[in-house]
Amino acid sequence: SQTIHQWPATLVQPVGSPLSLECTVEGTSNPNLYWYRQAAGRGLQLLFYSVGIGQISSEVPQNLSASRPQDRQFILSSKKLLLSDSGFYLCAWSRGESQPQHFGDGTRLSIL
Amino acid sequence: GESVGLHLPTLSVQEGDNSIINCAYSNSASDYFIWYKQESGKGPQFIIDIRSNMDKRQGQRVTVLLNKTVKHLSLQIAATQPGDSAVYFCAENFGGSQGNLIFGKGTKLSVKP
């Protein structure tokens, strides 16, 4: 069966510090991968998606970037965090069009 | 902006009753819809999906109804249990191999014992 792992579960970072959140998927190959941000009590905002190694599409302009160095690895990064980057970050995978996305348990990021 | 929205932000039901959570979508080209359940501090969990060539699909204690005429989606939960308490999201996909989804804002379901 397929599993998706995100870490860390929680993270507290100072403003201006760098960020690296990692997501890995097991049990499938060539998945579509996604990064979302969820504000408290709100829906999910798609940040990035990837249909293959090295292929990254950005949905919204922001202070973050994403990379996919391996087929089942998706990384969310920032060189300098802003207060507005606080939130709940979720990684997901799917097999493609008209297929459900399956989510990890997220990273709660707090910027001080 | 989002094309998927929910009629009710909160829903409170008695344990054992049936729950109905509604969702409206605005993109008539959407051909795939999903319901997710999200418990506090966790990622959304897939519940059930439906394609636009169907108007009803049943799972274990859940039923999704799709009315393409009025662009309406609903999730019915039979014999609601305390463990069903969560936020429920609908999502739509209007094609593309990337499988991108648009999510609604969510409905919080509270089950009273």
Side-chain angles (χ1 to χ4, degrees):
Chain A
S1 64
Q2 300 83 23
T3 56
I4 179 168
H5 303 280
Q6 274 188 256
W7 67 93
T10 59
L11 187 60
V12 181
Q13 292 283 99
V15 170
S17 64
L19 173 74
S20 181
L21 301 181
E22 190 160 342
C23 172
T24 59
V25 181
E26 295 176 359
T28 188
S29 59
N30 197 31
N32 286 0
L33 297 172
Y34 312 86
W35 276 112
Y36 290 88
R37 177 167 55 209
Q38 184 176 32
R42 302 293 297 276
L44 282 73
Q45 179 188 35
L46 179 64
L47 302 176
F48 301 95
Y49 66 90
S50 172
V51 298
I53 296 174
Q55 300 178 57
I56 308 295
S57 296
S58 175
E59 286 294 294
V60 293
Q62 60 202 307
N63 184 42
L64 302 168
S65 62
S67 62
R68 185 171 177 174
Q70 300 180 47
D71 181 44
R72 290 167 288 179
Q73 184 184 29
F74 207 22
I75 298 172
L76 185 68
S77 305
S78 174
K79 293 181 179 177
K80 279 188 172 183
L81 286 167
L82 307 172
L83 283 173
S84 58
D85 292 324
S86 292
F88 190 45
Y89 288 84
L90 289 155
C91 181
W93 74 274
S94 81
R95 288 193 173 92
E97 182 179 358
S98 296
Q99 295 289 329
Q101 292 181 17
H102 302 278
F103 288 82
D105 276 336
T107 294
R108 178 76 58 192
L109 176 64
S110 299
I111 311 299
L112 304 178
Chain B
E2 292 181 334
S3 67
V4 176
L6 293 169
H7 296 307
L8 297 173
T10 60
L11 178 64
S12 184
V13 300
Q14 201 70 37
E15 181 179 359
D17 288 351
N18 296 336
S19 303
I20 299 176
I21 301 172
N22 296 302
C23 180
Y25 65 95
S26 59
N27 193 331
S28 57
S30 293
D31 59 3
Y32 178 64
F33 304 87
I34 309 175
W35 280 101
Y36 286 93
K37 172 186 179 183
Q38 187 175 25
E39 295 174 283
S40 181
K42 295 187 177 181
Q45 177 186 6
F46 169 78
I47 302 174
I48 192 168
D49 59 0
I50 188 168
R51 287 175 170 73
S52 59
N53 60 352
M54 301 172 68
D55 53 20
K56 180 179 180 179
R57 192 168 187 219
Q58 289 184 293
Q60 187 176 15
R61 279 203 306 120
V62 295
T63 300
V64 55
L65 299 178
L66 175 63
N67 186 331
K68 295 180 288 293
T69 302
V70 295
K71 297 179 200 167
H72 186 266
L73 191 69
S74 69
L75 177 70
Q76 300 178 2
I77 304 173
T80 313
Q81 302 168 2
D84 295 326
S85 295
V87 177
Y88 290 81
F89 293 94
C90 62
E92 64 176 312
N93 170 247
F94 49 90
S97 61
Q98 64 270 29
N100 288 4
L101 299 175
I102 297 175
F103 286 82
K105 290 184 172 62
T107 291
K108 183 175 181 179
L109 176 65
S110 295
V111 181
K112 296 176 287 186

